[in-house]
Amino acid sequence: MPPSLQLDSAELAEKYDSVSDKQYQHGLLLLDDLAVQPGQRVLDIGCGTGRLGEHVASERVGPRGEVVGIDPLPLRIDIARRRASANHHVSVGRAEDLSAFADASFDVVYLNSVYHWLPDKRSVLAGVRRVLKPGGRLGISVASRERPHDVQRVLIDALASHALNSAVVNGSTPHRVSAAELTEQLDAAGLLLERLELRRFADHFPDVESVLDFYFASSFGNFLTDYLPDVRARVLDTLQARLLARRGPQGILLHRNLFFLVASAPQDDR
Ligand SMILES: C[S@@+](CC[C@H](N)C(=O)[O-])C[C@H]1O[C@@H](n2cnc3c(N)ncnc32)[C@H](O)[C@@H]1O
């Protein structure tokens, strides 16, 4: 099933704000890759609760620059509004519709842990190219289709033990991408790939509950919603047992694999 934007709750939004250090940290890497400069105008697509945007506004672009964040989940934007400031504005909005923004109006656009939620990547990238200034840069961190996160592997094992077909369940989103797909999508949008790197992150969780909190909040309620409630409860029990079995002296170690991509709009765009 495609991800739903109807499953978020105030509790999940607050939880995400408190457990999203991992996304925040790799967001900082993405900003380094993009070499965001003082005075630039930046669009943060899928800004969530606004933590990264707040950092960009105060530490990267400064008072002469501006950060605009959009996200389709109103409850996350409510939290992001608390972080808004004179040079950091947020509103409800979707990656697929950037019509609120003028052509060639941003130096930088980024999507941090957002692109794998988007079904229609072509329309998103066409919009991004339109709003980027000539030579402006796009940064994306996105889950890899070829190298699933450890939690997905554990899930596939859990499903197999219930004779369930892991080919039809995605855990949360079916829209992860391969390197070849990314290259092709950028090409179709007329964006120039500058850098594409797969990075591996080791996450240590103290207990099973914190693993599940992280994945439910990060997926705005979409984790394991592919099943009917009774099947889901059984799969969840098995998943919990398998996660517990991985617990070692440093807690539960799970890796995530993310592509980091930087692309640019051509200099002679218009
Ligand atoms: C894992 S969170 C990442 C949030 C934030 N970028 C961060 O680094 O913490 C994924 C975000 O993607 C957003 N998202 C999902 N579908 C979207 C869409 N169609 N357009 C824009 N954002 C979307 C969700 O609302 C959610 O806030």
Side-chain angles (χ1 to χ4, degrees), residues 26-213:
H26 61 66
L28 298 181
L29 297 178
L30 185 63
L31 297 172
D32 290 344
D33 290 350
L34 285 164
V36 176
Q37 300 297 316
Q40 288 188 322
R41 187 161 191 255
V42 176
L43 179 60
D44 178 345
I45 297 181
C47 65
T49 58
R51 293 182 64 189
L52 200 58
E54 181 180 40
H55 165 84
V56 178
S58 64
E59 305 300 323
R60 307 263 175 159
V61 300
R64 288 184 298 108
E66 184 189 17
V67 182
V68 178
I70 59 166
D71 197 284
L73 300 179
L75 294 165
R76 306 219 171 191
I77 286 295
D78 284 348
I79 298 173
R81 280 206 180 92
R82 296 182 211 150
R83 301 200 156 96
S85 62
N87 69 340
H88 179 205
H89 307 283
V90 297
S91 58
V92 174
R94 297 175 59 119
E96 296 81 357
D97 179 10
L98 302 183
S99 57
F101 307 114
D103 292 1
S105 54
F106 289 99
D107 301 287
V108 172
V109 176
Y110 68 81
L111 298 93
N112 186 46
S113 277
V114 174
Y115 198 68
H116 43 257
W117 295 108
L118 308 178
D120 183 4
K121 299 184 192 322
R122 278 175 190 263
S123 82
V124 171
L125 291 184
V128 167
R129 173 162 180 193
R130 183 185 66 76
V131 301
L132 272 179
K133 296 178 184 176
R137 303 179 100 195
L138 165 67
I140 294 178
S141 66
V142 56
S144 155
R145 186 193 297 289
E146 300 119 317
R147 299 278 306 278
H149 298 343
D150 280 356
V151 76
Q152 282 170 264
R153 296 181 195 278
V154 179
L155 177 60
I156 287 167
D157 272 0
L159 291 169
S161 75
H162 289 278
L164 292 168
N165 184 355
S166 60
V168 296
V169 70
N170 51 68
S172 50
T173 174
H175 305 305
R176 299 176 183 93
V177 282
S178 68
E181 286 165 343
L182 277 171
T183 311
E184 189 272 327
Q185 289 159 7
L186 289 169
D187 208 40
L191 291 161
L192 309 172
L193 181 61
E194 292 182 5
R195 172 178 182 161
L196 178 61
E197 192 181 329
L198 187 71
R199 292 181 178 144
R200 186 165 164 81
F201 297 89
D203 301 330
H204 291 92
F205 295 89
D207 49 34
V208 171
E209 193 188 11
S210 60
V211 177
L212 297 179
D213 274 353

